[in-house]
């Protein structure tokens, strides 16, 4: 511990030297008494011998105030400061003790100052004022006791040491608090970033599905009416597939911006995933909400510049009103808006559809049918009917169209016109199609020579190994492919004409017959079909039905027949219900006829009988009452 002694009298310095010679000259009783006094004075913790031993005094002697000030300055610069300074008051010719104390204090705020004087002509208050604080200035009268000085030095050194340790601990603590504060600020920033990421879509930075559902739930709690809409791009997959994912991403960003700019003020626009966006906005009036959505759909119908390509993708929109009179459950709102969106997609895209309750009902039935259909095969609920196809002249039965029937325990008979599209969507069509083909082929063996005409959905047709698959079934059944006619629709072949053309050629090479079903309802130009390997066209029954009433239908029927003949194809007229129709079709040149006039689709046993009989006599050909009616008509 460094101790500074400032006194102009050399003799006094000797006394100090004696004081700091390690206390060896101090009698033990005196030392104890002074220890007790020091504890009283400074309230220090229990001193122990080890502590005291640690305080080896290091006195530094100065004879003038200025020297002392310089010594303090040096000590601070060397980072080895004094703990205590004993200062005499009168030290001519230099500065006096008061000024020395003032200057030392100015340099060192921590040092303890002890004013040692034999005179009473100084004011402690005055000195404290310039060299305070008061708890760091002490007074000892001259002549002093050795023990008094050494004990005072010991007590003040201990206190100085404790103060320093405390200060060090405090500054360490302050640094730690500061670091902690920095850390927590950083954490808070991280948290808000994480919150942002959790609630926003990375591609567009628009709110995501979670944020949308949250905000929608919040909005549902308010009384005012509002509209919820789902928006989906019409040809996004095409852009992604043809221009790549980068272009797809860019398009999503562009469209998101377009939507944000075209919605009413205050609209929440969220990207729900893929090419789907969700919006909701204040609106009490359905017509106004529809107009707002139409504006958005219209804005999306423009062409976007995507990586140098002009891309038109268009959007469809489903809308549901929520609020005062509408739906209040957020999940249900989204579900209903989705149903409306699906309806918009089905009804030609690029439009806005408002949810109505029939959509909900329709969905429920669809789901039931889908579930029921999965079990229908196992439960033996499916069966096949056969409808004769007859030659135009002698009405000889040349073949039968196999038509699937589903009889359910719950709903009775369900029309294939209803369940086939559902089977197509859920891909059950493959198992169902296999079942139909196998059963049709099995039935074929009971006929003398007729062919069976089996319907295939476009999804079956596009299946990989379609040709091999059919060939396997035919081989397994031991049937000549020439007795199997494959009915496919225009959609099946024109979606991917090149591939379809190859498939048809392969089938024809294997000996199968190919019929183009529902002909005239698709978009294929009559001219284009010449490229495909076909055997016959089946004129859709809507034209046959319209023949007697509309000139257009009659004209279409005539041109299809002409075209078929020109291309060397057979032409089957379906849905022939009246004698008049049959007559007109014969005259026009249809090669084959099919319809209720000749026979309804009949169960397998009846078909066997008709096949054996080979010719239909109109009076006995039909098996039902409808038949009799249509014959009379
Ligand atoms: P489609 O291929 O056009 O079959 C002809 C449909 O017309 C049959 O209806 C048949 O009962 C009906 N029909 C026949 N003659 C007449 C008539 O004179 N007047 C009227 N109004 N209708 C007549 P069905 O059996 O209800 O089949 C409906 C559709 O379901 C079929 O239309 C076909 O697209 C599909 N379908 C039926 N069975 C199968 C199948 O096994 N596989 C596939 N993929 N689709 C099938
Ligand atoms: Ca058909
Ligand atoms: Ca048809």
């Amino acid at each position: 511990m460094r101790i500074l002694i400032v006194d102009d009298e050399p003799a006094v310095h000797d006394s100090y030297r004696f004081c700091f010679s390690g206390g060896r000259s101090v009698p033990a009783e005196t030392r104890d008494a002074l220890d007790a006094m020091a504890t009283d004075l400074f309230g220090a913790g229990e001193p122990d011998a080890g502590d005291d031993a640690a305080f080896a005094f290091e006195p530094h002697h100065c004879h003038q105030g200025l020297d002392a000030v310089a010594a303090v300055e040096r000590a601070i610069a060397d980072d080895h400061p004094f703990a205590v300074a004993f200062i005499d008051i009168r030290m001519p010719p230099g500065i006096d003790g008061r000024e020395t104390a003032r200057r030392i204090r100015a340099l060192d705020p921590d040092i303890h100052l002890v004013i040692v004087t034999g005179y009473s002509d100084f004011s402690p208050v005055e000195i404290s004022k310039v060299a305070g604080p008061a708890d760091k200035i002490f007074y000892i009268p001259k002549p002093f006791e050795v023990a008094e000085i050494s004990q005072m030095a010991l007590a003040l050194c201990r206190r100085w040491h404790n103060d320093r340790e405390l200060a060090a601990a405090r500054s360490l603590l302050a640094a730690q608090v500061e670091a902690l504060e920095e850390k927590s600020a950083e954490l808070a920033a991280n948290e808000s970033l994480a919150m942002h990421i959790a609630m926003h879509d990375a591609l567009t930075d628009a709110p995501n599905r979670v944020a949308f559902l949250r905000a929608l739930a919040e909005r549902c709690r308010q009384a005012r009416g509002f509209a919820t809409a789902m928006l989906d791009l019409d040809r996004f997959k095409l852009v992604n597939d043809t221009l790549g994912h980068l272009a797809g991403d860019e398009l999503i960003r562009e469209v998101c911006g377009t939507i944000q700019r075209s919605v009413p003020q205050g609209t929440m626009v969220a990207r729900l995933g893929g090419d789907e966006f969700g919006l909701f906005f204040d609106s009490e009036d359905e017509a106004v909400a529809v107009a707002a959505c139409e504006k958005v759909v219209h804005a999306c119908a423009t062409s976007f510049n995507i990586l140098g390509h002009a891309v038109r993708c268009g959007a469809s929109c489903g809308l549901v009103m929520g609020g005062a009179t509408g739906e209040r459950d957020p999940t249900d709102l989204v579900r209903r808006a989705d149903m409306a969106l699906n309806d918009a997609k089905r009804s030609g895209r690029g439009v806005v559809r408002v949810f109505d309750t029939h959509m909900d009902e329709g969905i429920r039935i669809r789901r039931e049918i889908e579930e029921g259909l999965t079990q229908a095969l196992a439960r033996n609920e499916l069966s096949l009917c056969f409808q004769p196809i007859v030659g135009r002249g002698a009405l000889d039965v040349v073949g039968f169209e196999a038509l699937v029937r589903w009889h359910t325990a719950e709903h009775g008979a369900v029309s294939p016109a209803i369940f086939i599209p559902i089977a197509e969507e859920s891909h059950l069509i493959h198992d169902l199609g296999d079942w139909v083909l196998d059963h049709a082929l099995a039935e074929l063996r009971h006929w003398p020579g007729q062919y069976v005409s089996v319907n295939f959905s476009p999804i079956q047709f596009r299946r990989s190994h379609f040709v091999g698959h059919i060939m396997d079934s035919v081989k397994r059944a031991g049937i000549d492919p020439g007795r199997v006619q494959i009915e496919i629709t225009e959609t099946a072949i024109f979606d991917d004409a090149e591939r379809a053309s190859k498939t048809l050629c392969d089938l024809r090479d294997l000996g199968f017959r190919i019929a183009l079903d529902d002909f005239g309802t698709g978009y294929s130009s009559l001219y284009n079909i010449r490229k495909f390997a076909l055997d016959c066209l089946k004129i859709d029954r809507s034209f046959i039905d319209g023949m007697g009433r509309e000139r257009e239908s009659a004209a279409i029927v005539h041109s299809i027949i002409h075209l078929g003949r020109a291309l060397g194809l057979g032409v089957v007229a379906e849905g022939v219900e009246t004698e008049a129709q049959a007559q007109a079709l014969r005259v026009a040149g249809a090669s084959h006829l099919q319809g209720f006039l000749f026979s309804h689709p009949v169960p397998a046993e009846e078909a066997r009988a008709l096949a054996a009989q080979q010719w239909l006599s109109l009076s006995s050909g039909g098996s039902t009452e409808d038949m009799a009616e249509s014959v009379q008509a």
Side-chain angles (χ1 to χ4, degrees):
M1 271 312 130
R2 296 193 79 191
I3 293 180
L4 180 64
I5 296 148
V6 204
D7 204 302
D8 58 334
E9 279 179 61
V12 176
H13 282 280
D14 289 341
S15 302
Y16 278 115
R17 278 191 191 95
F18 184 69
C19 292
F20 299 124
S21 58
R24 283 177 296 274
S25 54
V26 184
E29 336 60 277
T30 321
R31 208 187 140 124
D32 286 350
L34 285 166
D35 257 345
M37 196 176 93
T39 311
D40 267 2
L41 250 175
F42 308 117
E46 305 231 335
D48 61 52
D51 263 0
D52 294 359
F55 296 134
F57 297 126
E58 218 184 289
H60 181 85
H61 297 266
C62 293
H63 294 269
Q64 283 294 308
L66 288 173
D67 294 345
V69 173
V72 167
E73 204 162 12
R74 258 193 326 274
I76 287 171
D78 296 347
D79 197 21
H80 191 26
F82 291 101
V84 187
F86 290 91
I87 306 168
D88 183 23
I89 279 289
R90 292 196 184 171
M91 296 177 287
I95 56 173
D96 68 356
R98 176 181 168 281
E99 181 57 18
T100 306
R102 191 187 69 77
R103 293 195 189 181
I104 289 178
R105 172 61 71 218
L107 292 169
D108 185 346
D110 298 325
I111 193 167
H112 290 292
L113 303 177
V114 184
I115 308 299
V116 187
T117 177
Y119 301 90
S120 53
D121 59 346
F122 74 97
S123 152
V125 178
E126 261 299 294
I127 297 186
S128 292
K129 221 187 251 169
V130 296
D135 68 339
K136 284 197 167 126
I137 295 197
F138 306 90
Y139 301 92
I140 287 182
K142 266 185 186 170
F144 49 75
E145 289 281 335
V146 168
E148 215 176 350
I149 290 293
S150 67
Q151 204 51 42
M152 177 75 104
L154 183 65
L156 291 180
C157 279
R158 195 183 286 149
R159 185 179 174 196
W160 182 83
H161 175 77
N162 288 347
D163 284 354
R164 267 171 76 92
E165 284 202 331
L166 199 68
R170 265 205 199 113
S171 77
L172 183 70
L173 207 67
Q176 281 171 345
V177 166
E178 195 180 334
L180 218 62
E181 274 166 359
E182 263 171 33
K183 198 88 206 152
S184 87
E186 195 181 309
L187 274 174
N190 280 349
E191 191 190 333
S192 77
L193 183 67
M195 282 290 281
H196 185 90
I197 291 171
M199 289 293 167
H200 288 78
D201 164 50
L203 186 63
T204 58
D205 207 37
N208 62 12
R209 181 178 285 274
V210 179
F212 182 74
L213 288 177
R214 240 184 229 189
L216 190 61
E218 188 58 42
R219 184 63 185 81
C220 282
R221 284 194 273 276
Q222 298 169 24
R224 287 167 300 121
F226 66 101
T228 306
M230 296 291 137
L231 201 96
D232 192 290
L233 303 190
D234 289 335
R235 280 173 294 276
F236 178 65
K237 201 178 155 328
L238 192 73
V239 176
N240 241 351
D241 291 350
T242 53
L243 298 179
H245 290 280
L246 274 182
D249 286 356
E250 184 59 26
L251 179 63
I252 291 290
R253 268 195 292 267
E254 286 287 327
V255 168
C256 185
T258 302
I259 297 173
Q260 283 163 338
R261 284 189 295 276
S262 50
V263 290
Q265 214 181 0
T267 301
M268 162 85 154
V269 177
R271 180 177 175 222
L272 306 182
D275 57 342
E276 198 189 353
F277 294 89
L279 353 159
F280 67 82
F281 51 91
D282 293 346
S283 176
E284 304 277 357
D285 185 339
E286 187 179 293
V288 174
V290 170
C293 289
E294 274 170 350
K295 192 176 157 212
V296 177
V297 166
H298 183 76
C300 292
T302 54
S303 140
F304 295 93
N305 185 344
I306 303 297
L307 310 180
H309 303 271
V311 173
R312 268 174 187 278
C313 71
S316 302
C317 177
L319 173 69
V320 62
M321 298 302 288
T325 52
E327 180 59 44
R328 306 221 114 252
D329 177 57
T331 337
D332 231 46
L333 277 174
V334 169
R335 197 176 61 85
R336 289 175 180 215
D338 252 338
M339 274 186 251
L341 171 62
N342 282 336
D343 197 63
K345 292 239 165 220
R346 272 198 291 270
S347 56
R349 294 154 188 256
V351 292
V352 177
R353 277 278 177 280
V354 184
F355 171 81
D356 84 70
T357 41
H358 297 306
M359 294 178 184
D360 216 354
E361 180 69 1
I363 295 270
R364 193 180 56 74
I365 292 173
R366 276 179 95 79
R367 208 168 291 141
E368 267 180 35
I369 288 177
E370 199 179 308
E371 279 163 17
L373 208 52
T374 317
Q375 291 148 8
L377 290 154
R379 286 197 200 147
N380 220 8
E381 290 177 347
L382 295 181
S383 62
L384 281 186
C385 263
F386 298 90
Q387 187 176 36
I389 299 166
V390 301
R392 65 188 281 256
L395 301 185
D396 52 325
V397 180
V398 296
F400 291 88
E401 178 172 0
L403 293 159
V404 67
R405 295 289 173 262
W406 180 23
H407 193 92
T408 66
E410 303 101 289
H411 305 286
V414 181
S415 162
I418 290 176
F419 71 78
I420 293 287
I422 297 174
E424 284 176 342
E425 273 175 30
S426 60
H427 289 268
L428 283 168
I429 193 69
H430 295 300
D431 288 345
L432 192 143
D434 290 348
W435 186 94
V436 169
L437 181 60
D438 289 341
H439 283 74
L441 294 176
E443 200 51 39
L444 180 69
R445 298 170 192 238
H446 300 285
W447 307 337
Q450 288 88 350
Y451 64 83
V452 69
S453 200
V454 180
N455 293 286
F456 286 88
S457 101
I459 292 177
Q460 288 173 277
F461 184 71
R462 284 184 221 120
R463 183 188 198 174
S464 50
H465 312 303
F466 175 69
V467 176
H469 194 77
I470 292 199
M471 201 52 207
D472 287 348
S473 302
V474 169
K475 269 193 198 148
R476 225 180 9 249
I479 302 282
D480 167 18
R483 290 185 68 193
V484 180
Q485 178 164 280
I486 292 162
E487 290 196 18
I488 46 154
T489 55
E490 293 164 81
T491 20
I493 57 175
F494 286 106
D495 273 6
D496 183 354
E498 219 163 286
R499 188 163 155 214
S501 166
K502 163 124 186 30
T503 307
L504 294 181
C505 275
D506 291 350
L507 288 168
R508 269 274 292 252
D509 288 348
L510 290 165
F512 291 99
R513 305 164 57 93
I514 315 284
L516 199 52
D517 202 2
D518 302 342
F519 192 70
T521 55
Y523 304 98
S524 57
S525 87
L526 299 178
Y527 182 73
N528 275 339
I529 62 156
R530 77 190 196 289
K531 289 187 265 176
F532 296 97
L534 301 171
D535 291 278
C536 69
L537 304 175
K538 294 186 80 173
I539 309 175
D540 191 71
R541 66 171 188 270
S542 59
F543 302 116
I544 311 296
D545 185 44
M547 251 167 63
R549 287 177 277 122
E550 309 147 0
R551 287 187 49 208
E552 294 85 356
S553 288
I556 288 171
V557 170
H558 276 96
S559 60
I560 293 175
I561 293 172
H562 273 119
L563 170 86
R565 289 175 63 156
L567 294 173
L569 303 175
V571 177
V572 183
E574 327 182 86
V576 183
E577 295 184 352
T578 67
E579 189 59 53
Q581 286 168 345
Q583 204 46 46
L585 288 160
R586 277 195 182 114
V587 171
S591 60
H592 296 88
L593 307 171
Q594 182 186 353
F596 293 169
L597 175 66
F598 311 102
S599 170
H600 270 254
V602 295
E605 306 81 67
E606 278 184 54
R608 284 181 203 179
L610 293 176
Q613 192 181 307
Q614 290 203 22
W615 279 274
L616 289 180
S617 57
L618 274 194
S619 52
S620 64
S623 61
T624 65
E625 286 168 23
D626 303 73
M627 175 64 205
E629 278 167 28
S630 52
V631 170
Q632 280 154 20

